[in-house]
Amino acid sequence: MDVTGPLPADTLFFRAAPGDFDLVVAMYHDQGHGPIKMLGLDEGVNITLGLPIIRTSVDHGTAFDIAGSGKADERSLLAALRYAVELAPKR
C-alpha cells in the first residue's frame, strides 16, 4: 500500500478533492464528514473499517423535514449500496 500521512485536514482534503488519494481515513466522524459535505453530498459514503461485517452508510442525516415530499436525493444511498456490494466477498 502507498500510504501518506498523517496530514493536517486543510492539506489533506485540498489534495483529496481532486483525487490525489483513493480514500481518506478520519479518526472521528466529524473530521471526515464535514469536508465531504462541503464537497457535495451527492455520492458521499461512510465506510466503517475494522468490523466483522461490511458497514456503509450515507453521508448525511435523516432529513425528516423533507421525508415523503419528493425532495430527497437518493444518490448517497445508492453509492453506499454500491460500495457495500463492491466490498462484499464474491461467491
Side-chain angles (χ1 to χ4, degrees):
M1 285 196 254
D2 182 13
V3 178
T4 302
L7 296 173
D10 56 346
T11 300
L12 171 64
F13 286 99
F14 179 79
R15 291 184 53 195
D20 285 4
F21 306 112
D22 294 325
L23 66 95
V24 170
V25 175
M27 299 305 293
Y28 302 99
H29 174 89
D30 289 340
Q31 285 179 325
H33 280 267
I36 296 302
K37 288 178 180 182
M38 291 298 295
L39 294 171
L41 291 174
D42 311 9
E43 302 232 0
V45 175
N46 176 32
I47 301 172
T48 303
L49 303 175
L51 298 176
I53 60 167
I54 295 169
R55 183 197 177 275
T56 62
S57 66
V58 297
D59 196 25
H60 55 72
T62 55
F64 286 127
D65 58 323
I66 62 170
S69 70
K71 296 178 184 176
D73 186 337
E74 73 281 359
R75 289 179 289 178
S76 185
L77 173 62
L78 295 175
L81 292 171
R82 280 194 302 274
Y83 273 108
V85 169
E86 190 175 317
L87 293 169
K90 306 300 181 243
R91 296 181 193 246

